[in-house]
Amino acid sequence: MAGTAASEALGAQIRSEAAACGGVLPFVRFMELALYAPGLGYYERGRAVVGRGGDFYTSASVGPVFGELLAFRFARWQAEDDGPAGGASQIIEAGAHDGRLARDILAWLRIWRPALAGRIRYTLCEPSSVRRAWQAETLAGFSGQVDWISDIREARSGRGGIRGVVFANELLDAFAVHRLGWDAASGRWFEWGVEPVDEGFRWARVASGKSAVPEAAWPRLPGGLLDALPDGFTTEVCPAASAWWRDATDALDQGRLLTFDYGLRVEEFFLPQRAGGTLRGYQRHRSATDLLAGPGDQDLTSQVDFSALVAAGEQSGATTECFTSQRRWLTEAMAETLAPDAGFAAWDASRVRQFQTLTHPEHLGRAFSVLCQRKRVSQ
Ligand SMILES: C[S@@+](CC[C@H](N)C(=O)[O-])C[C@H]1O[C@@H](n2cnc3c(N)ncnc32)[C@H](O)[C@@H]1O
């Protein structure tokens, strides 16, 4: 395992947890530690992992236009739901990382919708004290109207439900997943785990009695499809993402839930071209070859199961307003900004360039999907 000192320390922690589980640690726990172990995990180490100098781009790192278009839409929704005078309104952002998207949204509202900006509360849902500190620094100019919760379930407790928007950009594709393999001989799924070897780690099956996958999360495929599935077919399930979306829906009294992620409908996970699963590692804008190398040194991510999110939200009383590409969602929002009295900044060369990056199919436009669900007071 050639890695950094932090990765060596994290490796030692993973080895000790693997030993405590009889030698093989379920991959979901490996991924959780690799990304989020306090002080050592990938997302704990430095704020600069996102953007040109980091490991990958997000829409927020392209420039302020993404946040400006979100703020423009949020303001329209708020006016439609509450009327122009409005009541108290809330925006909850989860997975804000260094807070730049929050800053872009609040800055736009302050300039273009000052009345709304004056009464809006912006809450960041952030379990990590390290990332909260980055966010507080970025949002120093908005300190009076920003607050934090650690868990989306806290959004409800003691405050009543949320009226407004709960949203995230690339939160759920950063959740730890269970990695599953298909054993054609026995006609059963098994869970992949991680086993320490020499200086590194290798893939190993988790014994069926020790699997950490909740019963309801195992794939349920029609018999014909299972018969055709090749031995070793690999996929991922992420019950934590559906649980998060359900909790977010439950916390909302009125308004929208919105997420931007790369992801698939459930049936798309089982196409022949995805026989190796959708889990990927990224370092310095390159796809990693060994997902288990240098834990904490590389990002690990996998496609979101949007069918599971749609079902989770609808079971909690939301209706699905749209499931579409980022390209389409942003293009529609952009078209609205062109109306004569829209109240949006001029589309100068820099804004146009950012918009093209966000929507071009070979950049971020096709890779990302948008799910928007809505809850009304009567629901
Ligand atoms: C891929 S980054 C996206 C960053 C940011 N939204 C952007 O657009 O640049 C995913 C972020 O989600 C955070 N995250 C992961 N699990 C979380 C959770 N349960 N609640 C809040 N944030 C979480 C990670 O720490 C990381 O900062």
Side-chain angles (χ1 to χ4, degrees):
M1 180 178 64
T4 58
S7 148
E8 305 269 325
L10 192 50
Q13 191 176 336
I14 294 167
R15 282 167 184 275
S16 126
E17 287 208 17
C21 319
V24 178
L25 187 67
F27 173 74
V28 67
R29 179 62 181 155
F30 174 93
M31 184 165 171
E32 204 170 87
L33 289 168
L35 296 184
Y36 305 113
L40 297 173
Y42 177 80
Y43 280 113
E44 287 274 306
R45 289 195 205 166
R47 55 200 293 182
V49 294
V50 181
R52 185 187 292 272
D55 294 323
F56 58 91
Y57 290 104
T58 66
S59 297
S61 68
V62 169
V65 162
F66 184 62
E68 291 173 356
L69 287 170
L70 288 187
F72 176 80
R73 265 281 165 97
F74 293 173
R76 198 199 82 195
W77 287 343
Q78 193 277 336
E80 283 169 6
D81 284 354
D82 291 337
S89 193
Q90 193 172 1
I91 297 174
I92 300 199
E93 181 185 357
H97 196 65
D98 60 3
R100 75 179 83 175
L101 183 53
R103 182 196 56 205
D104 294 341
I105 289 170
L106 286 166
W108 187 89
L109 289 171
R110 189 179 269 180
I111 294 170
W112 292 96
R113 301 291 187 276
L116 175 58
R119 63 172 187 273
I120 218 151
R121 191 166 78 226
Y122 201 108
T123 302
L124 295 115
C125 175
E126 179 52 73
S128 156
S129 56
V130 172
R131 295 191 299 271
R132 275 188 193 205
W134 302 338
Q135 292 159 10
E137 196 184 314
T138 307
L139 295 168
F142 302 94
S143 54
Q145 63 187 133
V146 176
D147 61 10
W148 279 264
I149 53 175
S150 308
D151 187 299
I152 193 66
R153 288 170 293 190
E154 289 168 33
R156 192 164 193 96
S157 55
R159 306 170 175 228
I162 304 158
R163 289 169 73 93
V165 182
V166 181
F167 86 101
N169 183 51
E170 285 205 64
L171 166 74
L172 300 170
D173 57 34
F175 273 23
V177 295
H178 296 272
R179 198 169 202 220
L180 310 181
W182 176 244
D183 184 319
S186 65
R188 296 172 72 95
W189 292 100
F190 62 89
E191 181 174 16
W192 280 113
V194 169
E195 181 179 43
V197 281
D198 302 325
E199 294 296 293
F201 299 97
R202 73 173 172 209
W203 294 100
R205 289 187 184 203
V206 176
S208 59
K210 293 195 168 176
S211 174
V213 184
E215 187 49 41
W218 291 97
R220 279 173 180 67
L221 299 180
L225 183 51
L226 280 179
D227 293 342
L229 222 53
D231 187 49
F233 190 98
T234 301
T235 194
E236 302 85 22
V237 290
C238 189
S242 317
W244 191 92
W245 194 259
R246 192 167 36 247
D247 288 340
T249 314
D250 288 341
L252 188 71
D253 271 355
Q254 175 181 296
R256 265 98 170 173
L257 294 139
L258 179 72
T259 189
F260 297 78
D261 278 292
Y262 45 91
L264 305 167
R265 293 177 194 271
V266 65
E267 61 276 12
E268 295 174 297
F269 281 88
F270 300 98
L271 296 175
Q273 65 267 33
R274 301 215 171 82
T278 72
L279 185 69
R280 300 285 179 271
Y282 290 98
Q283 204 170 14
R284 308 259 177 278
H285 300 278
R286 287 227 171 94
S287 190
T289 47
D290 182 356
L291 299 173
L292 304 182
D297 286 349
Q298 59 180 330
D299 185 28
L300 293 172
T301 173
S302 78
Q303 302 266 351
V304 168
D305 177 353
F306 277 105
S307 304
L309 298 189
V310 167
E314 290 182 353
Q315 279 157 17
S316 284
T319 49
T320 300
E321 214 167 56
C322 80
F323 173 51
T324 188
S325 65
Q326 169 160 307
R327 173 189 171 85
R328 183 154 179 198
W329 197 90
L330 290 180
T331 302
E332 285 173 7
M334 195 268 204
E336 288 166 21
T337 71
L338 301 176
D341 55 354
F344 195 85
W347 282 93
D348 58 18
S350 162
R351 279 202 176 78
V352 169
R353 223 174 15 250
Q354 291 172 48
F355 181 78
Q356 284 168 341
T357 305
L358 292 168
T359 55
H360 195 286
E362 283 174 19
H363 294 289
L364 300 171
R366 192 169 51 201
F368 290 98
S369 297
V370 185
L371 173 63
C372 181
Q373 292 189 319
R374 184 171 189 185
K375 244 176 137 179
R376 295 172 199 264
V377 174
S378 57
Q379 286 179 324

